[in-house]
Amino acid sequence: MTALPSGTTAWILTDGKAGDLAPCRGLAHALGLTAQERQVALRPPFSWWAPRGPADPRDRVLTPPWPDLALATGRRAVPALRALRRLSGGRTFTVFLRDPRIGAEVADLVWVPEHDRLRGPTVLTTLAGPHPVSPERLAAARAAPDPRLAALPAPRAAVLVGGDSRHGRVRPEAAERFLSALDRLGAEASLMITASRRTPSSLREGLRALSLRRGAFLWDGSGENPYLALLALADAVVATADSANMVGEAVATGAPVLLFELTDTYLRHRPFFAALRHYGAVHPFNGRLEGSRYEPLDFTPAIAEAVAAAYLRHRDALARLTGP
């Protein structure tokens, strides 16, 4: 890994969504940076105009000193990242994760998954995106297992449940089929379940009843978030198909990932899931354990290496412009 200069400063710009913070945090960690997290707070009418419009002048997120490097994702963060680039006089090296929807010119470097169409000289593509589920963190979670999970007999299945999104709503009949399949899986594996803020209340209640019936672990929001511990201890991972991030993190474990469609799968995610099926990491979830372990898929180090190299080129170019 190309080392960044000591003292390199960094910001993370998002609107605070967990699904946006996770890839930025994972990339910052891989770069060896302690990034300052700044939450964009666009208000109408500026929120209506994002990502094309200007930054909200009432938002206090853009206050100097400007960082050396900024990582951002989410359409609401685009105006702030563009403004930061301008206000810093181009000194801040800007990175945007995922398609900003208005072209690659919004940042010095843009990462998109291979199934996205955006391409260009400043666009980096990999099969999956950056995330915080590193081999080191997984190893640490296995070495000191969460006592709430360690007592569960093997095999263990982590169950990552999403829910409604702007791309689709959970279908009641699909939720019923999902709960029935989990009930069958509970006969041959210990279930370790975590739900999302997007999980509908009816499905959440079904998961609670299932956990009581099967003696499963269901995180109720109390105590430390066991997400990383679930992945570290899992012999298989059940994931719903509404989140490419969640599936990308699951395949970093090397455990078979069993995919279930609670909603109609977003068209842009289908090529990604197809590639993972071809690799042998992902299988349909039908209520039983399937598949075998594989070499974990983690593209975070490669993305971090590309960002570090691009940042150093940017820094050298600035030094040549300003002189000794």
Side-chain angles (χ1 to χ4, degrees):
M1 172 69 199
T2 300
L4 296 182
S6 176
T8 299
T9 58
W11 286 2
I12 288 174
L13 290 172
T14 72
D15 66 0
K17 291 189 182 74
D20 289 340
L21 279 170
C24 290
R25 286 171 173 169
L27 181 54
H29 179 78
L31 288 165
L33 297 173
T34 301
Q36 184 182 130
E37 296 181 5
R38 297 203 168 194
Q39 186 170 326
V40 176
L42 285 182
R43 287 164 287 185
F46 298 94
S47 57
W48 305 336
W49 300 333
R52 297 184 180 279
D56 188 339
R58 299 165 296 179
D59 192 350
R60 313 289 277 187
V61 73
L62 296 176
T63 55
W66 310 122
D68 299 313
L69 190 150
L71 310 175
T73 192
R75 69 176 183 85
R76 290 172 179 263
V78 171
L81 190 69
R82 293 165 66 198
L84 173 59
R85 198 179 184 191
R86 174 177 51 81
L87 291 167
S88 71
R91 300 192 68 83
T92 297
F93 184 75
T94 54
V95 180
F96 193 84
L97 304 179
R98 306 191 194 110
D99 189 344
R101 306 296 186 188
I102 57 172
E105 295 76 19
V106 302
D108 295 296
L109 185 69
V110 175
W111 170 85
V112 296
E114 288 176 359
H115 57 267
D116 256 352
R117 295 179 180 176
L118 185 66
R119 294 293 185 273
T122 59
V123 177
L124 169 68
T125 64
T126 57
L127 178 60
H131 55 70
V133 184
S134 66
E136 297 77 19
R137 286 176 166 171
L138 288 171
R142 292 179 185 123
D146 189 318
R148 295 171 295 178
L149 307 174
L152 296 173
R156 305 183 186 98
V159 182
L160 315 180
V161 186
D164 298 329
S165 74
R166 62 190 178 94
H167 304 302
R169 312 289 289 182
V170 172
R171 304 185 304 272
E173 69 279 7
E176 287 300 319
R177 286 191 288 107
F178 181 56
L179 290 169
S180 295
L182 285 177
D183 195 30
R184 294 195 298 275
L185 181 61
E188 60 173 313
S190 298
L191 304 181
M192 307 178 293
I193 308 169
T194 183
S196 162
R197 286 178 295 181
R198 299 182 291 106
T199 306
S201 58
S202 57
L203 177 53
R204 193 180 294 273
E205 286 304 314
L207 292 170
R208 184 174 290 110
L210 170 68
S211 66
L212 292 173
R213 186 166 63 253
R214 285 295 186 185
F217 171 82
L218 172 65
W219 188 47
D220 60 5
S222 63
E224 185 178 353
N225 188 331
Y227 183 73
L228 188 64
L230 263 67
L231 291 177
L233 296 177
D235 297 293
V237 180
V238 177
T240 56
D242 46 89
S243 171
N245 275 0
M246 200 157 61
V247 177
E249 291 167 353
V251 298
T253 66
V257 176
L258 310 175
L259 200 61
F260 189 91
E261 293 192 12
L262 276 176
T263 66
D264 291 329
T265 297
Y266 182 34
L267 286 174
R268 294 167 70 89
H269 292 167
R270 289 180 183 176
F272 173 51
F273 296 152
L276 295 178
R277 284 194 296 270
H278 181 74
Y279 183 76
V282 165
H283 312 269
F285 177 49
N286 297 307
R288 52 175 300 191
L289 296 176
E290 295 186 47
S292 55
R293 295 195 68 86
Y294 50 87
E295 186 65 26
L297 287 167
D298 182 8
F299 296 91
T300 307
I303 297 168
E305 179 66 32
V307 169
Y311 168 73
L312 292 177
R313 291 194 298 270
H314 174 82
R315 187 170 175 267
D316 290 346
L318 286 175
R320 289 194 297 270
L321 286 173
T322 57

